Structure formats: structure tokens, C-alpha cells
Amino acid sequence: MAGKKLGRLLVGILTLLVAIGLFNGISATPVVAQAATVTGYGTPTQDPSSFLFWYSNTGFRTQPQDTYTTVGTTKKLTTAVGYSFLDTFFNGLSYNHFQWYQSTNNGATWTAIKGATSSTLSVTPTKPGTIYYQESFGYYLFVPPLLPDEYYYSRVAAVTALGSPINATGITVTADDHYLYSNQDEAGTTTVHATTAPTSATGDVTWTSSDPSLATVDKNSGIVTANSDGKSGTVNITGTITNEDGTTKSSSVSIKVGGGLDDQTVDSGKTATFTVQGKFPTTPAAVTWYKKAAGSSTATKVASGTSLTYTTPTTTSADNKAHYYADITIKSGINSKTITTNSAQLNVSYSDTPKVAITGTATDTTDNTGNTAHVLTNIVSGDTVKITGTITDTNPDKKMKAGLLFIKVPAYCSDTAIKVDNGTSDIQAPMKIGDSYYLVTRKAIDFSSNHSHSYEVDFKSLVDTDTDFTTNLQMEAFNTDASSLSGEASQGTNSVLGTAKDDHFDTYTSPDINLHFSSNTLTAQAGDVTFGSLSYANVDQVIEGQVLGGDDLLAVTDDRRDKTATTISLRQATPFSDGTHTLTAKLSYANGSTVKQLTDTNQVVLSAGAGIKVGSLNANRGQELQLVLASQAIYPGNYTSTLDWTITSAPS
């Protein structure tokens, strides 16, 4: 029995020695520069760096601050200690041993203050001047400690007593941390600080919280402690200095409280980014991200690595109300700890309205020369026109289930057919709706599973006159099963296709397609020419004729598909006459470079080779008639002459 007790005692002593040895190995690290200008009782320990709920080293996380007061007025100096992971792990049974010291001779000598063995010291100066204070603490089991160097020292704080009070004219408030965790085993804490103007103000600073349910603040020390219930929000911590005359000055700082993640709201089709908040002075050893689908209790890992930020894939309505959280592993030497953030919700804003895009390309399958995708310039009677394209709904959240296609076609056409997704051509006669004719799909297109479809429309033109025609493909979208819709049932109601159903979304349209139907002929119209009022003064002068109305001398429309070689000839069929008298005059045709006198015999005035389109003759190109009066007896009157134009095309 005695041997067993001795064994336990030896183990206890060995454990204690190991704990003290490790503690001693991470003891006080000197600070390069001190706030106070006097030498302290001990060398101030470096402030510990916060790493969430760990500290990089043991030391004072709240330091005593310099302060001003008046004789007989009490001031409080407050400290708080942060412990390194190794201290809390190996010295779990240890506790703090505090001691305050003071110096009345600028740090030349220091004395321990009897009974001052807590983290707070009340000071009441009895005469004007400055007294310096410093606190030490040891973290050990026994008194006195077994080893000599396990003490930590605060900064040196100066308490200056003045003969009369000084009022503060302003105050500025700062916080060591601006984000505190409320969902961990240990509530997050930070310290707020006040800087007065002037710094020698003697009033007392007190602290208040705008929402103690989020975070409380110690009235005197300024130590802020977050709630431990997981409640999130932003709290304002206000510092107020009360001057001795009763006036006050206040200022606030905002501190965010939460579990590390905020809810995110994005539009469907966009990505969302979640970022872990709080201070992380080094990169975590590991970060794993998880997702819970809306309504699900099962988490799925979506990312791993060391990033404190996660960006979702492109969102859809299915992601609405999903939740995300992260496990964060942090290390200190060989030791590690994992914390879990709160579960943040993803809110996805989406619309179920279809986003339909329709393309359309036209082709004259008989002869497509000179045409573009949206303009057919020369459709001859008997030509077959083909229009092809796609209909795509790009909204993944759409409710559209079906669509009816229709396209406007000329009144005079045959062999009309419409085909969807390379299926069988639906040959049908055009449907008259209002004053226009349409090809309409008899069966609705099913969009419930397939978001994109192709189509083809064909018709043979029977138009034999020069006509311009504009068409496009249109689709009416519905939130109803395709099997319940029929294009044939759309006649006689009140939309383009007559749809007046509650489940009708809208009508979607492709870009316009312009069709020019041609007579396949060359036609011409001669203009009337006047030479104005002439007199003897105009004899032997060249008078240029003017086409009435400013029209072309010969307006030519050449819609021939096969443009064979063509000539235009001109002759003066009759002389100038007023019905009684004949006017002796020379009439000529000028083309800008040559002048030909006209006779009663045809003369070629223009030649166009094969494949060349014949254009109109007009003064802009120098093409005009010219008149020269001969010296003669002139009888007043209106004289006219008839010209014959002859257009000759060579055989093809």
C-alpha cells in the first residue's frame, strides 16, 4: 500500500516538474520599446497575440493605462491575462498570483503594495505628483514558486495627481478586435480604449453596451464579452468621460458579434461568397467547407484546403435556403484545435419567368445569290424559302413547360411546312389570323425537360410582283403540359394566336427577316422633258432639257435574276409640232462624254453586258436631252415631239 502511494507521489512530482519546465521555457519575452519612460520593477512582458481563443504567449491582454486625477479622487487600474495554449494545457491546475508594485521616485526603487493581489488596483493620491505602478503575476501551484523566472509583468502605468481638475473636450474610442465569436465554448472577448482630449483630462471614463444581449462591457475596465448563445448582430460600445463639473463627452465603436459567417443573398445565376470573419494572424492548418441542402440535415463536404473564403458554383433556385459552415483547424506547435463556424444561409433570388431567345436564318434554296441571313433580296415566283433557327430558354428556374410556334408567311405561297427538332415536316396550309397568314405548329413544343429546340419553316413563293415583306418567328410560352395545347385551337381568340389563358407567360420573337419578292423582269418608265419657253434669242444655243418633277430621264427597275446583255435604244419618232406648224430643231442625247443627234432611226444610247444590272438614266450621270433651234420663222405655240425607247435583251 505504501509503495503505491509513493508511486503516485513521484508521478505527481514528475508531472509538476514537466509542467514548470515547459512553463519556464515560454516565460516572459522582453518588449523592445516600453510605453513608460521609467524602469519597472520587472521587464514588461510582450502583449500576447490573440488567435481566436488562443494566445501566442502568456501575458497581459489588458494593460494598466496612464491616467490623470485630482488629489483625493480614486482611480482604478485594471489588467486581464491571456494564457498560451501550452500553459492552459500543462498547467490546468495552476492559478494566478497577482502583486502590484509602486514607485514614487521615477522607478529608482519599487515597493510591493500590501494586499494588492488582484487584477484591479484602486489608487487615491494624497498629494500632487506622479506615482508609477506595475503588476506581476505568476501562474503556478505552490507558494512560493519552485523556480524563479515564471513571473510576467505589465507595462508601467503613471497615475498623475493634479491640484485642480481638467475637463475633457473630446474622446475617441477604439477596440482591439472588431469581431467576436458567440458560438464557441468560450465567449469571445476584446478590450476597448479611450483617448481623451486633452490627454490630461481628469474625469472618469465609463463604458456601456448598446445591446447587452449581444455583448456586455465592464463599466470600468472596458473588457467586452460576447454572448455565448450564438446570437449575432452588431453592438456599439460607448465610452463616456464625466468631468468633475458634471459635463460629459462620449464616443462609440462598433463590434460585430457572430459565429464567423454571415448569410448571403444573390440572384440566381450568380455565385455567392462566404468568408470566415475574425482575426487570423496566420493561415489555418486546415479549413473544410460543408453544405446542407435546403430542408436537409445531412452535410456534404464542398471544399477543403486552408482558405477562409468559399465561393459557390453558379446558383439556381434549388440552392435557396441551403446552409454552409466551415471547420477550421488551428495549430500551436504540435497541438491543434478545431472550431466550427455557425451555419450561414444562402438566399437565392430568382424569377420563374422564361428568358427565351429565338434565332432565325433565311435562305432562298433556289438561288441564294446576294442574300444574307436576315435579308433575301430577289425571291422569284417558284423559289423555295427556308427559315431555320433555335428557340432556347436560358432561365434554369423557369416554369415554362410548352410553347406554340407561329410565323407570318405571304398570302400567295404553297408547299408550306413547319418542322421542330429535325422531326417530320408538318405540312399544312397557312392559317389566317386577322388580316395575315401564319404557319402554326399543330402540337406544342415540350420545354419541361429540354430547354432548347430547333425549327425549320419552308414555303414556295407564288408572288410574281415586286413586293417587300417582313416576317419573324414567334412563340407563345405556357406553364402547362404540351399535350394540352394545340395550335389549331388558337384561332378566334384575342392574341396573335388567340391565347388568353391564365398559364400564358408571354410572346417571344426572333429578329426580323426581310423578304423582297421580285417580278423577275426589267421595266422602264420614261420621264416627260421640257425645254421651257424659247424665243429668237435662243436660236443656235444648246438648251438642256429638264425632266418634269425631277424624275429620271428613264427610270429602270432591273429585277431579273438572269441578267443577260441589254441595250437601250432611242429615236425621235415625230418632229416638234404644235399641230399646225413644224419647228425646225435638232434634238440630241448626251451621256456626259458624247452627244448623239436623234433621228427617226433607233440609236443605242446604253449597253450593259451579261450579269450587269441596268440602271436608270438621269442628269446626275450626265444623261440628258439637248435642243438646238435653227434660224427660222417661229410661230408661237406649244411644240411637242415623241421619243421611242427600246430595250433589247439578248437570249440567255
Side-chain angles (χ1 to χ4, degrees):
M1 180 69 69
K4 292 183 179 179
K5 289 183 178 179
L6 178 60
R8 286 197 292 270
L9 178 58
L10 290 174
V11 170
I13 293 173
L14 288 174
T15 303
L16 175 62
L17 291 176
V18 170
I20 294 174
L22 286 172
F23 178 84
N24 194 41
I26 58 168
S27 60
T29 302
V31 178
V32 175
Q34 294 298 323
T37 59
V38 300
T39 302
Y41 178 80
T43 302
T45 306
Q46 181 180 10
D47 289 349
S49 298
S50 172
F51 191 77
L52 277 183
F53 311 104
W54 288 356
Y55 292 92
S56 59
N57 58 282
T58 299
F60 288 90
R61 60 184 175 88
T62 299
Q63 295 278 6
Q65 299 298 308
D66 297 340
T67 186
Y68 288 83
T69 186
T70 54
V71 174
T73 301
T74 300
K75 288 286 187 177
K76 284 187 178 182
L77 301 178
T78 303
T79 64
V81 177
Y83 307 95
S84 72
F85 175 79
L86 291 179
D87 273 350
T88 56
F89 181 81
F90 288 108
N91 298 342
L93 299 179
S94 299
Y95 56 91
N96 292 326
H97 297 265
F98 292 103
Q99 178 61 59
W100 285 93
Y101 300 87
Q102 73 175 11
S103 174
T104 58
N105 53 6
N106 294 323
T109 59
W110 291 83
T111 58
I113 303 174
K114 187 177 179 180
T117 56
S118 70
S119 59
T120 300
L121 176 66
S122 295
V123 177
T124 307
T126 59
K127 60 181 179 179
T130 300
I131 299 178
Y132 295 93
Y133 296 88
Q134 186 177 34
E135 185 181 41
S136 70
F137 85 93
Y139 191 55
Y140 52 84
L141 284 172
F142 301 110
V143 181
L146 297 181
L147 295 176
D149 294 328
E150 65 270 31
Y151 285 102
Y152 298 85
Y153 294 92
S154 73
R155 72 181 291 275
V156 175
V159 176
T160 301
L162 303 176
S164 58
I166 295 178
N167 288 341
T169 59
I171 183 173
T172 302
V173 174
T174 59
D176 290 342
D177 296 304
H178 289 271
Y179 193 93
L180 298 179
Y181 276 73
S182 61
N183 68 329
Q184 304 299 313
D185 294 337
E186 185 178 344
T189 64
T190 189
T191 302
V192 287
H193 307 280
T195 301
T196 62
T199 57
S200 58
T202 57
D204 288 326
V205 176
T206 56
W207 300 95
T208 56
S209 168
S210 63
D211 188 351
S213 69
L214 280 176
T216 60
V217 61
D218 185 273
K219 178 181 179 181
N220 299 309
S221 68
I223 296 176
V224 180
T225 304
N227 73 91
S228 57
D229 302 323
K231 187 175 180 181
S232 300
T234 298
V235 62
N236 292 321
I237 303 299
T238 300
T240 301
I241 184 168
T242 302
N243 297 315
E244 291 197 21
D245 63 0
T247 60
T248 61
K249 297 293 181 182
S250 298
S251 181
S252 299
V253 63
S254 294
I255 297 176
K256 196 171 181 181
V257 178
L261 295 178
D262 289 338
D263 294 345
Q264 299 295 317
T265 300
V266 296
D267 292 331
S268 176
K270 305 293 185 181
T271 60
T273 298
F274 292 89
T275 300
V276 179
Q277 301 170 81
K279 275 191 177 180
F280 286 84
T282 61
T283 301
V287 180
T288 305
W289 289 88
Y290 295 91
K291 174 185 178 180
K292 289 182 180 179
S296 173
S297 60
T298 303
T300 302
K301 183 170 69 174
V302 292
S304 60
T306 59
S307 177
L308 293 168
T309 297
Y310 172 71
T311 299
T312 69
T314 300
T315 58
T316 67
S317 59
D319 297 309
N320 189 40
K321 306 302 181 183
H323 287 79
Y324 293 82
Y325 67 91
D327 286 342
I328 306 164
T329 300
I330 49 181
K331 286 188 175 182
S332 176
I334 62 173
N335 303 291
S336 65
K337 179 180 180 181
T338 298
I339 68 167
T340 301
T341 69
N342 64 308
S343 180
Q345 181 169 289
L346 174 60
N347 302 302
V348 180
S349 302
Y350 62 93
S351 170
D352 55 18
T353 301
K355 296 179 181 179
V356 177
I358 304 177
T359 66
T361 298
T363 305
D364 186 336
T365 61
T366 305
D367 187 337
N368 202 46
T369 303
N371 295 329
T372 64
H374 297 102
V375 179
L376 302 186
T377 60
N378 197 1
I379 303 171
V380 173
S381 180
D383 286 359
T384 296
V385 175
K386 181 190 298 292
I387 299 174
T388 59
T390 59
I391 311 116
T392 304
D393 183 4
T394 60
N395 183 4
D397 303 314
K398 54 93 178 168
K399 284 188 177 180
M400 182 178 72
K401 295 180 180 179
L404 285 172
L405 299 186
F406 57 98
I407 186 170
K408 187 178 179 181
V409 294
Y412 301 103
C413 58
S414 65
D415 300 345
T416 51
I418 188 168
K419 178 168 61 177
V420 176
D421 290 335
N422 298 316
T424 303
S425 292
D426 185 5
I427 300 174
Q428 56 176 284
M431 177 188 298
K432 188 174 184 180
I433 302 176
D435 295 330
S436 301
Y437 291 84
Y438 293 86
L439 294 181
V440 183
T441 50
R442 286 191 173 93
K443 295 182 179 179
I445 302 175
D446 186 0
F447 279 87
S448 58
S449 58
N450 188 356
H451 288 210
S452 184
H453 298 271
S454 62
Y455 71 89
E456 177 182 319
V457 175
D458 298 276
F459 66 86
K460 179 181 287 187
S461 172
L462 301 179
V463 180
D464 57 6
T465 58
D466 291 331
T467 303
D468 290 316
F469 186 83
T470 299
T471 187
N472 49 46
L473 186 88
Q474 299 184 56
M475 186 187 78
E476 293 205 358
F478 301 88
N479 180 24
T480 189
D481 293 334
S483 59
S484 65
L485 292 174
S486 170
E488 293 178 333
S490 298
Q491 302 182 64
T493 48
N494 60 2
S495 74
V496 178
L497 275 186
T499 307
K501 305 181 66 172
D502 292 339
D503 55 9
H504 174 237
F505 280 112
D506 205 347
T507 301
Y508 301 92
T509 305
S510 73
D512 285 346
I513 294 175
N514 297 308
L515 308 177
H516 176 72
F517 296 95
S518 169
S519 61
N520 197 27
T521 59
L522 187 153
T523 59
Q525 176 65 47
D528 292 332
V529 179
T530 180
F531 292 98
S533 297
L534 304 179
S535 65
Y536 285 108
N538 299 114
V539 171
D540 293 331
Q541 292 182 353
V542 176
I543 309 301
E544 296 177 349
Q546 303 294 321
V547 180
L548 293 177
D551 296 331
D552 294 326
L553 179 62
L554 184 67
V556 178
T557 302
D558 189 354
D559 285 333
R560 297 171 301 165
R561 172 172 291 162
D562 184 12
K563 294 178 174 54
T564 58
T566 302
T567 60
I568 298 178
S569 300
L570 180 61
R571 74 184 186 94
Q572 185 177 7
T574 63
F576 284 98
S577 173
D578 64 356
T580 302
H581 307 95
T582 299
L583 188 66
T584 302
K586 182 173 67 174
L587 185 63
S588 302
Y589 172 83
N591 65 5
S593 58
T594 60
V595 178
K596 291 185 178 181
Q597 183 176 347
L598 300 180
T599 66
D600 59 359
T601 301
N602 278 331
Q603 298 188 68
V604 175
V605 295
L606 183 143
S607 295
I612 298 177
K613 182 177 182 178
V614 178
S616 298
L617 308 181
N618 55 55
N620 291 333
R621 300 189 180 99
Q623 298 156 333
E624 61 182 8
L625 296 179
Q626 296 178 354
L627 178 69
V628 178
L629 288 176
S631 180
Q632 60 186 298
I634 298 176
Y635 298 95
N638 292 322
Y639 292 83
T640 60
S641 175
T642 300
L643 305 181
D644 287 342
W645 296 88
T646 301
I647 299 175
T648 304
S649 297
S652 59

